[in-house]
Amino acid sequence: MPLSYVNPQADSPWGTYLAQIDRVTPFLGPLARWVETLKRPKRALIVDVPIELDNGEIAHFEGYRVQHSLTRGPGKGGVRYHPDVTLEEVMALAAWMSIKNAAVNLPYGGAKGGIRVDPKLLSRKELERMTRRYTSEIGIIIGPNQDIPAPDVNTDAQIMAWMMDTYSMNTGATATGVVTGKPLHLGGSLGRVKATGRGVFVTGREAARRIGLDLVGARVAVQGFGNVGSSAAELFGQAGALIVAVQDHSGTLLNDRGFDLAELIPHVKAQGGVGGFAGGEPADTEAFWDAACDIVIPAALENQLTAARANRLKARLVLEGANGPTGAAADDILAERGILVVPDVICNAGGVTVSYFEWVQDFSSFFWTEDEINVRLDKIMIGALRRIWDTADQHRISLRTAAFAVACERILWARQERGLYP
Ligand code: NAD
């Protein structure tokens, strides 16, 4: 029986996820017996988050924490603040975390959280009150051994610090390991802020090598110029690539000769977006997808690479910095057109991998150097990608289906070994 509490559409995040599971099922052999486990979140918590606004009014926000799977370890996944957040979206994001953590072989299940809010409309004090109340509400299911949140869209190290402090005050002991992506002096890890972008670069470099694409002079388009997009752009720039198109919520800019990132990145930090940057030509939203380029990095939100855009894309390589940026129909079109997609569940796994390092460091209270972090990160990312690539070659399937095959096998194997309680 399908779940009664969501009604997924074909291209909605949960609908896309279910289609991905259906696609991998024929490759799971006898473990397919357990596949229904993956189509249902283990636990979905909806909370009311009331706060007093600065003007004295009371506002209510809808918050979620979904634990899709706890089979291989504690839940792990970010918290998103966005006006479009829904239970169904958080369910999909949590499920993709289960797949991602298993694809990279981290000892975690998958979880995700969110609040349906436009945080840009809140003052800093209101943002802090909302974060603390949300943390208290989901405090019944999170913890260093249960479920460990992290930053996602519109959440950052400061928000993680408030979450860690709230949880610690409620439990009566400083619990640094309850969230990752914290500030450095509160048990954060070196390399965490740029880890997701670094993973996008490392997996992208490996994929480019395999398809014979030289990064020196390669033309790159980046959608979303936040944490993930800007860090990835910086590394591609350092490797000799040209960033020729950027797009975020504030606008689209093109520059055929390549943006000067030393100027663009500080502009985005100061202004909150790429809009208004003088070093590029403003363009309309669709022009981004028509840009002449070799690599496209969607690093904003879900479902940005639609079927129509996939039909027009000029690139040879898509690196999914965002979670779920490509719909199932678009995925098929890209495959037919011979455009290689490095899927989100491996491409953007650098963030959760360094989150894992942070969590390990917090438990041992012994901290590593940035070099140690980056060397370990690169090794895990390359190793995981190679394993997935071998599976893709073996079955003649896409990297996405191969990543799902590797991950689902690990999760369902663990499920089978644990057995059903009682
Ligand atoms: P962020 O808040 O730092 O940046 C989000 C970016 O998306 C911003 O540049 C914003 O302007 C842009 N954006 C928002 N709406 C847009 C729209 N309609 N069109 C174009 N651009 C739009 O968030 P982030 O942490 O960089 O996350 C980006 C994506 O990467 C998300 O899908 C997130 O789930 C995924 N991700 C993040 C991490 C991480 O460690 N931060 C890890 C794995 C995956």
Side-chain angles (χ1 to χ4, degrees):
M1 284 259 275
L3 297 172
S4 68
Y5 51 89
V6 287
N7 185 17
Q9 306 301 305
D11 251 3
S12 67
W14 185 248
T16 299
Y17 167 75
L18 291 179
Q20 291 164 343
I21 292 296
D22 286 342
R23 202 163 276 197
V24 76
T25 303
F27 302 99
L28 296 177
L31 287 173
R33 173 171 179 251
W34 295 93
V35 82
E36 184 67 19
T37 315
L38 298 168
K39 296 184 179 180
R40 297 162 178 269
K42 174 180 176 58
R43 193 176 281 144
L45 181 64
I46 306 175
V47 294
D48 176 36
V49 185
I51 63 161
E52 187 173 347
L53 299 176
D54 293 345
N55 66 7
E57 283 174 22
I58 306 295
H60 290 259
F61 302 100
E62 207 171 293
Y64 312 94
R65 185 72 188 170
V66 175
Q67 296 171 341
H68 172 262
S69 170
L70 303 179
T71 304
R72 299 178 67 255
K76 184 91 194 81
V79 171
R80 175 175 295 196
Y81 291 173
H82 196 275
D84 297 336
V85 164
T86 60
L87 172 64
E88 196 200 304
E89 180 190 47
V90 178
M91 280 167 56
L93 292 167
W96 283 322
M97 287 309 299
S98 302
I99 302 295
K100 188 183 306 180
N101 292 330
V104 188
N105 214 3
L106 304 179
Y108 290 133
K112 202 86 178 191
I115 305 181
R116 198 171 163 79
V117 60
D118 184 350
K120 294 183 179 69
L121 302 180
L122 298 182
S123 71
R124 187 180 158 87
K125 278 285 159 204
E126 290 167 340
L127 191 65
E128 177 175 352
R129 284 198 287 275
M130 183 185 73
T131 299
R132 289 184 179 281
R133 181 62 190 241
Y134 169 71
T135 308
S136 289
E137 294 293 343
I138 66 165
I140 52 175
I141 60 169
I142 63 169
N145 291 310
Q146 289 149 284
D147 180 2
I148 307 115
D152 191 70
V153 175
N154 290 327
T155 56
D156 57 13
Q158 175 60 74
I159 287 171
M160 294 307 114
W162 290 329
M163 290 188 76
M164 176 275 214
D165 181 68
T166 305
Y167 181 86
S168 298
M169 298 310 288
N170 286 343
T171 54
T174 297
T176 52
V178 67
V179 289
T180 57
K182 299 179 294 296
L184 269 184
H185 50 278
L186 285 180
S189 176
L190 290 164
R192 173 62 184 91
V193 174
K194 297 195 168 178
T196 308
R198 187 178 176 88
V200 171
F201 171 71
V202 169
T203 52
R205 185 179 54 191
E206 174 74 10
R209 187 183 67 74
R210 287 184 182 235
I211 62 168
L213 173 63
D214 190 352
L215 286 190
V216 177
R219 300 164 64 81
V220 183
V222 184
Q223 188 207 31
F225 214 72
N227 176 308
V228 179
S230 65
S231 310
E234 208 173 9
L235 287 166
F236 275 100
Q238 285 165 13
L242 299 175
I243 310 302
V244 295
V246 290
Q247 177 176 85
D248 71 3
H249 72 282
S250 67
T252 301
L253 292 177
L254 306 177
N255 183 335
D256 212 39
R257 283 167 285 117
F259 285 96
D260 182 343
L261 295 178
E263 286 185 4
L264 177 58
I265 291 171
H267 170 91
V268 172
K269 282 208 174 100
Q271 305 299 324
V274 300
F277 180 64
E281 292 293 314
D284 66 35
T285 304
E286 288 309 312
F288 174 86
W289 302 99
D290 292 326
C293 62
D294 303 296
I295 301 174
V296 169
I297 307 179
L301 299 172
E302 299 92 66
N303 233 350
Q304 294 298 303
L305 194 37
T306 57
R309 290 170 176 171
N311 267 317
R312 289 170 9 226
L313 211 65
K314 309 262 192 322
R316 293 172 62 192
L317 185 57
V318 175
L319 305 176
E320 292 188 335
N323 286 306
T326 311
D331 225 8
D332 290 340
I333 292 167
L334 295 174
E336 274 163 31
R337 295 189 58 215
I339 299 172
L340 181 68
V341 178
V342 181
D344 48 6
V345 290
I346 173 68
C347 192
N348 71 30
V352 71
T353 303
V354 175
S355 274
Y356 165 57
F357 297 163
E358 179 175 334
W359 183 71
V360 169
Q361 291 170 85
D362 287 340
F363 269 119
S364 58
S365 297
F366 182 77
F367 291 86
W368 311 346
T369 65
E370 189 155 4
D371 267 359
E372 283 173 300
I373 302 276
N374 287 339
V375 167
R376 286 177 162 142
L377 172 63
D378 293 4
K379 195 173 165 208
I380 288 182
M381 296 294 290
I382 296 290
L385 182 61
R386 288 189 180 153
R387 167 88 160 82
I388 290 165
W389 216 299
D390 288 347
T391 304
D393 287 346
Q394 185 191 340
H395 295 294
R396 295 175 184 276
I397 51 180
S398 68
L399 288 179
R400 190 187 313 281
T401 304
F404 268 69
V406 169
C408 292
E409 205 169 279
R410 287 185 178 139
I411 298 168
L412 298 181
W413 191 255
R415 175 73 280 156
Q416 180 166 284
E417 282 176 329
R418 284 182 66 159
L420 287 182
Y421 173 86

